[in-house]
Amino acid sequence: MFNKVLIANRGEIACRVAATCKRLGVGSVAVYSDADAGAKHVAVCDEALHVGGAAASESYLRIEKIIGAALATGAQAVHPGYGFLSENEDFARACEKAGLVFIGPPVEAISAMGSKAAAKALMQSASVPLVPGYHGDGQDPALLQQEADGMGYPVLLKASAGGGGKGMRVVEKSADFASALLSCKREAASSFGNDRVLIEKYLQRPRHVEVQVFADQHGNAVYLFDRDCSVQRRHQKVLEEAPAPGLSDEVRRAMGEAAVAAARAVNYVGAGTVEFIMTGDGQFYFMEMNTRLQVEHPVTEMVTGLDLVEWQLRVASGEPLPLSQDQLKVGGHAIEARIYAENPSRGFLPSTGTLKHLRLPEAVEFQLNGNVRIDSGVREGDTITPFYDPMIAKLIVHGRDRDDALLRMALALKQCEVVGPSTNIEFLHRIVVSAPFSAGDLDTGLIERHHDTLFAPSEVPKTPALALACAALLTREGGEAHGVSPWDALSHWRMSGGYTQALNWRLVGSDDEILAVFTRDSTSGRADNKQLELFGETLTFDWSHGDEPHAFVVLIGDKRIKGRVFVDGDVFHVFYAGASLAFEWQNLLAHAADAEHGEGRLTAPMPGKVIAVLVEAGAVVEKGAPLLVMEAMKMEHTIVAPAGGTVGEILFSVGDQVTDGAQLLVMEVQPAK
Ligand code: ADP
Ligand code: ADP
Ligand code: MG
């Protein structure tokens, strides 16, 4: 076994590899870019070397820099993870030349499988079944058109050097072929520096089923069973599971053996995945081989109880495979969900920003025998940058069977809390509990076909969520020293022995304004009596802190609700019953009136810049009239009149920088009529 391994990657996979190194007593070396100096993978490795700028091309893709780092630290081997240099034959060759072991297959195997077209030709000669199509050398547009016409539409155009779904174009009819070919070639050339294409018959409602294979340097090769990765968006995996549901023993064995045959055909060594596409009748066809560890490898680890990174290290250091085919068994069922910083309702656009609050279900990282596992490359306070894949974590569950795993996954997703970037957590939950996914009725069109249900607006009950937000607000405003009387920041009317306070909210992501009226009546002889009026209903109301940070227990009407509220400025993120809603407190009177004196203070809700002054001193304005616009963090924020009145002195002008809480202008509030 090696003494020290350099991990030429970042994020969760670098952390994942480091965990196995640690368990085996192997030293680990991280590399990092400017953007990752404080990243988790740097913290978990024994040593770390800076390799360049934030862009991958200036750091994680710099072959000489990474080889230099390995040599400088005395690492004997390099683990490339996935993505980046993992399938780069020049990198594998450079490692070899520098006397470093590349933890992956031989250069020839990477190169044989690197071109989908060449790989298919090879598989054909190894009698591995192929999707009907054209993968020849001839690339003349007229020839390609003729081939497509011959196989019948729809067809799928793929970049031969492709990956990550890039370049793929579905062509519905002959007339569309020429322009699809141009756009496929254009994307292929810019993404992979190679515009060779191949054509496949576009299969209807297929499944993506892949087989994990492993081979050693002594001629042994086994399959570690299958995974179903049919749930995809834009040809990218979203949920993966092992074993693939509904395969007969015969099909399972036939696929496993075909995958091993594929690996043997290229003298494969190490971990690899043979991807098949499967039709409804159980026919399967070779699609491509990924010559590296796959993102979804944990589901295989969970059902086999094996650490695949350990196997990689053992095989790379020359040991034989730890187990033979007949010693390998599947136990139970595992599902993985990829939690991304992205916006499903906006075409899965990546989202960036600081993870201000990050709470994942209780789990042990990389454990093989538990029920919930989280592989993550970020911690609370870390930032999802635009430079790399916006994955936050992989959530993996194991159950005794698929139904058990489904329940655990649904529950675990409901325990995830993220404040900062948008995420796909709710979307993942919807898929997991959807009828087709629950029934194991899987195919690659699942997300599109169930678009209406999966993307429907969320219907979280608002009363309990708002009650939690009100509890957090009343606690904050009542309990913190503001240098003023605790209740001054809230709109209130005093009565003897009690208060009535108006709490104005806006549902974040909408224009919906919601008014909650809190009453506290402690008139003589009666116990402290609190009520909350919401949506026209007056309910008894009380709250206390839960036993964890941000936790509240709220009594509203006859309900007792447990939830958590993460407060970010005036935005209250409520996590309740597995749902999350954010409400912004409309801090009206904090900016405004001390009504008794008929004079108002309007203060900046955040540090920023004044970008517009909309009124002049002396102007008479109505309640809600826009007075001044500020900008902070590229977001505009309009300061409105908290009540009708007359504008007094305006204390800043356009372009001025103001600090949080600074008074912006003075207002004479009209006494209520
Ligand atoms: P998997 O089957 O393991 O999910 P993917 O093809 O989805 O494999 O890609 C795995 C990782 O590699 C992802 O992080 C993806 O962004 C990255 N990746 C895949 N292909 C490329 C490529 N051609 N260039 C850069 N990154 C890629
Ligand atoms: P990549 O290198 O981008 O992973 P693949 O060839 O593995 O490309 O295909 C990615 C996905 O596209 C598959 O998982 C499957 O969902 C879909 N796909 C690929 N080939 C076909 C086909 N012939 N018919 C229908 N869908 C296909
Ligand atoms: Mg693929």
Side-chain angles (χ1 to χ4, degrees):
M1 183 50 71
F2 308 112
N3 291 325
K4 198 188 268 190
V5 169
L6 178 131
I7 304 167
N9 215 298
R10 64 177 302 283
E12 67 86 17
I13 193 62
C15 299
R16 160 74 192 89
V17 173
T20 291
C21 289
K22 190 167 200 170
R23 193 169 62 73
L24 300 180
V26 174
S28 55
V29 183
V31 290
Y32 64 93
S33 69
D34 288 344
D36 278 340
K40 183 176 169 188
H41 79 277
V42 173
V44 300
C45 287
D46 299 328
E47 294 170 65
L49 261 81
H50 176 246
V51 288
S57 60
E58 290 169 22
S59 48
Y60 299 107
L61 292 174
R62 281 174 75 182
I63 295 180
E64 346 69 62
K65 263 282 187 192
I66 288 170
I67 301 273
L71 295 175
T73 51
Q76 296 149 305
V78 177
H79 195 301
Y82 56 73
F84 296 127
L85 296 170
S86 61
E87 296 181 279
N88 184 312
E89 45 178 299
D90 294 336
F91 182 60
R93 209 175 282 115
C95 287
E96 206 171 284
K97 233 177 106 193
L100 297 163
V101 176
F102 174 76
I103 303 176
V107 174
E108 296 73 28
I110 301 177
S111 111
M113 290 297 184
S115 152
K116 287 189 209 280
K120 290 184 82 172
L122 231 149
M123 291 302 112
Q124 201 156 27
S125 55
S127 310
V128 177
L130 300 182
V131 190
Y134 170 80
H135 52 264
D137 292 333
Q139 294 286 302
D140 176 45
L143 168 78
L144 294 172
Q145 171 97 50
Q146 196 186 333
E147 289 288 343
D149 292 348
M151 68 187 85
Y153 291 87
V155 302
L156 181 61
L157 273 166
K158 289 186 185 178
S160 181
K166 286 213 180 86
M168 298 213 315
R169 298 288 182 276
V170 179
V171 192
E172 299 288 351
K173 52 186 196 294
S174 184
D176 299 340
F177 186 84
S179 70
L181 178 64
L182 277 177
S183 98
C184 170
K185 278 184 172 293
R186 197 161 44 233
E187 194 173 15
S190 73
S191 303
F192 312 110
N194 178 335
D195 73 351
R196 179 167 175 174
V197 301
L198 61 96
I199 313 169
E200 284 177 3
K201 180 91 192 141
Y202 186 61
L203 302 177
Q204 301 298 318
R205 297 185 74 153
R207 286 172 67 178
H208 173 120
V209 181
E210 58 184 34
V211 177
Q212 175 73 55
V213 295
F214 241 104
D216 64 19
Q217 303 177 31
H218 310 282
N220 305 304
V222 296
Y223 59 92
L224 281 75
F225 312 103
D226 35 82
R227 299 184 281 254
D228 187 298
C229 314
S230 300
V231 182
Q232 303 183 349
R233 47 126 180 108
R234 298 212 227 112
H235 306 298
Q236 286 269 26
K237 298 159 188 166
V238 175
L239 283 158
E240 301 106 337
E241 56 188 295
L247 297 198
S248 67
D249 290 348
E250 293 72 49
V251 171
R252 173 154 290 133
R253 189 171 332 106
M255 281 184 97
E257 285 169 2
V260 168
R264 287 199 185 277
V266 293
N267 299 315
Y268 202 77
V269 174
T273 296
V274 181
E275 295 188 333
F276 294 102
I277 192 148
M278 186 182 249
T279 48
D281 54 4
Q283 284 295 315
F284 59 88
Y285 306 98
F286 173 85
M287 210 158 31
E288 64 164 344
M289 181 168 186
N290 291 327
T291 55
R292 55 173 161 85
L293 194 67
Q294 205 94 339
V295 175
E296 58 274 20
H297 77 277
V299 290
T300 297
E301 296 188 319
M302 298 289 266
V303 296
T304 58
L306 301 170
D307 178 338
L308 299 193
V309 174
E310 175 182 348
W311 276 43
Q312 286 190 296
L313 297 178
R314 294 204 180 284
V315 164
S317 64
E319 294 179 31
L321 289 179
L323 296 173
S324 63
Q325 191 65 58
D326 52 7
Q327 291 174 308
L328 291 163
K329 301 251 158 352
V330 170
H333 197 92
I335 308 178
E336 173 180 281
R338 299 190 188 190
I339 298 177
Y340 275 106
E342 67 180 16
N343 212 321
S345 57
R346 291 175 57 199
F348 299 98
L349 206 68
S351 176
T352 55
T354 299
L355 296 160
K356 294 180 188 172
H357 172 68
L358 174 67
R359 190 179 139 97
L360 296 170
E362 264 174 53
V364 180
E365 295 197 27
F366 322 120
Q367 75 173 3
L368 299 176
N369 302 311
N371 293 126
V372 180
R373 163 174 167 180
I374 286 164
D375 284 16
S376 142
V378 290
R379 303 148 300 189
E380 186 170 273
D382 287 349
T383 299
I384 304 290
T385 70
F387 301 110
Y388 318 109
D389 196 79
M391 186 151 71
I392 297 171
K394 302 189 304 203
L395 171 62
I396 309 108
V397 298
H398 183 254
R400 59 182 180 277
D401 53 29
R402 189 171 190 270
D403 285 344
D404 189 31
L406 276 171
L407 282 174
R408 291 180 196 278
M409 178 55 90
L411 190 71
L413 284 167
K414 289 213 161 244
Q415 293 170 350
C416 297
E417 300 175 1
V418 179
V419 174
S422 309
T423 75
N424 64 344
I425 294 168
E426 189 186 350
F427 178 72
L428 289 168
H429 185 264
R430 287 182 185 202
I431 302 177
V432 168
V433 301
S434 72
F437 191 81
S438 302
D441 180 14
L442 306 173
D443 71 85
T444 59
L446 188 146
I447 290 179
E448 269 164 53
R449 212 168 35 253
H450 298 276
H451 189 278
D452 292 352
T453 1
L454 296 176
F455 293 87
S458 128
E459 280 169 20
V460 183
K462 289 197 190 70
T463 298
L466 265 164
L468 281 159
C470 290
L473 175 63
L474 291 164
T475 301
R476 180 178 86 167
E477 298 302 327
E480 283 174 17
H482 274 250
V484 288
S485 140
W487 302 105
D488 271 4
L490 298 172
S491 147
H492 67 264
W493 302 272
R494 273 162 217 273
M495 50 185 185
S496 58
Y499 309 94
T500 293
Q501 299 167 285
L503 315 180
N504 296 77
W505 297 100
R506 184 180 63 82
L507 180 64
V508 172
S510 81
D511 294 327
D512 297 358
E513 305 237 351
I514 306 160
L515 174 69
V517 179
F518 172 64
T519 311
R520 180 181 198 142
D521 176 8
S522 45
T523 37
S524 56
R526 290 169 57 189
D528 192 23
N529 179 14
K530 304 191 193 80
Q531 290 186 322
L532 195 65
E533 187 192 324
L534 260 178
F535 304 115
E537 225 187 331
T538 303
L539 299 162
T540 55
F541 176 60
D542 208 348
W543 72 93
S544 61
H545 279 285
D547 41 16
E548 288 172 275
H550 316 300
F552 286 89
V553 180
V554 162
L555 299 165
I556 175 99
D558 55 3
K559 291 198 183 69
R560 183 173 182 277
I561 293 153
K562 283 161 89 172
R564 295 148 55 76
V565 185
F566 177 83
V567 184
D568 180 22
D570 281 340
V571 179
F572 288 61
H573 296 266
V574 179
F575 299 95
Y576 152 72
S580 85
L581 275 180
F583 301 98
E584 187 182 22
W585 178 38
Q586 308 298 94
N587 192 350
L588 298 184
L589 282 224
H591 306 154
D594 177 358
E596 285 167 44
H597 297 97
E599 197 178 86
R601 280 166 55 90
L602 282 148
T603 56
M606 61 203 175
K609 198 164 93 178
V610 176
I611 59 169
V613 177
L614 308 170
V615 287
E616 285 170 9
V620 176
V621 295
E622 309 249 288
K623 177 178 183 317
L627 305 177
L628 186 147
V629 184
M630 282 184 60
E631 183 201 62
M633 295 179 60
K634 300 209 162 61
M635 270 172 49
E636 285 189 9
H637 192 96
T638 304
I639 312 295
V640 300
T646 310
V647 176
E649 192 183 353
I650 297 167
L651 303 167
F652 289 96
S653 28
V654 172
D656 287 349
Q657 204 68 38
V658 294
T659 54
D660 194 4
Q663 181 169 2
L664 300 169
L665 50 87
V666 181
M667 235 190 99
E668 189 92 358
V669 175
Q670 227 83 39
K673 282 174 196 144

